[in-house]
Amino acid sequence: FSIKQGMSQVPDTTAPIMKGEKTAALHSPKKAAIMSTILPGLGQVYNKKYWKVPVIYAGFAGLAYAFRYNQTRYARYRDAYIYRIDNNPSTVDKYVNLYSDNTLLNLQQSYHRYRDLSLIGAGLLYILNIVDASVDAHLFTFDVSDDLSLHIKPDLIPVASNYYQP
């Protein structure tokens, strides 16, 4: 019976630093996440994934357009519904012969919901931007070379047994 100390969790300080290891030590996922939190896309620039920046800003632009479109329609149908139910004959909406009261209310609620979903989408895109920067920083030194071979070396492992056959 013997006990042997394992060195698997202790870093070897005498080994030379290989190419890429120094970069890995200097490339921080925390820094990438903070940079993307401050300015969306900055973490992707830090990770040298420049092509992702236009994708992020196109997503924000699309969601901003969707928000503005839905907010405009929501306000239009809300005001028309308010004019319709205020019992003032001098206020007339432009949908008098086009939509019923119930239809105006449904349109208002639908565009309100779409507007809110646009905001939720922008928040999710912002969080996804931060997570993407952090994950890319973790995988910054990941080997993606063309050599993806697998080397299998089978070995026989002796197994001790208490079963004795004479």
Side-chain angles (χ1 to χ4, degrees):
F1 182 84
S2 70
I3 297 176
K4 188 174 183 178
Q5 182 180 5
M7 300 294 285
S8 63
Q9 299 299 318
V10 180
D12 186 6
T13 57
T14 61
I17 296 176
M18 303 299 289
K19 181 180 176 184
E21 288 182 14
K22 187 174 183 180
T23 309
L26 298 176
H27 204 81
S28 168
K30 184 178 179 181
K31 184 176 181 181
I34 290 171
M35 291 173 86
S36 275
T37 302
I38 293 169
L39 180 66
L42 194 58
Q44 283 73 11
V45 171
Y46 174 71
N47 291 329
K48 296 179 178 28
K49 301 284 180 138
Y50 305 108
W51 66 271
K52 291 183 178 184
V53 177
V55 173
I56 291 169
Y57 282 100
F60 279 123
L63 288 167
Y65 176 78
F67 175 81
R68 184 171 178 237
Y69 178 84
N70 291 315
Q71 174 61 25
T72 303
R73 299 300 182 281
Y74 163 69
R76 184 180 298 166
Y77 293 125
R78 180 197 60 208
D79 293 344
Y81 184 72
I82 290 171
Y83 291 159
R84 188 84 56 94
I85 63 170
D86 69 355
N87 294 326
N88 185 352
S90 64
T91 56
V92 179
D93 65 275
K94 58 183 174 182
Y95 304 109
V96 172
N97 294 325
L98 191 59
Y99 297 128
S100 68
D101 294 351
N102 195 29
T103 304
L104 273 178
L105 183 61
N106 286 338
L107 285 168
Q108 172 192 345
Q109 291 171 346
S110 294
Y111 282 108
H112 186 268
R113 182 172 188 269
Y114 298 149
R115 182 201 65 183
D116 292 348
L117 286 174
S118 300
L119 282 177
I120 291 170
L124 289 174
L125 181 61
Y126 180 73
I127 291 170
L128 181 65
N129 153 64
I130 297 167
V131 170
D132 177 67
S134 179
V135 169
D136 272 348
H138 276 290
L139 299 174
F140 189 73
T141 58
F142 188 73
D143 182 22
V144 289
S145 65
D146 290 335
D147 182 20
L148 298 176
S149 59
L150 176 65
H151 301 286
I152 298 175
K153 297 178 183 177
D155 197 5
L156 292 176
I157 301 172
V159 178
S161 174
N162 289 336
Y163 182 70
Y164 174 74
Q165 289 182 344

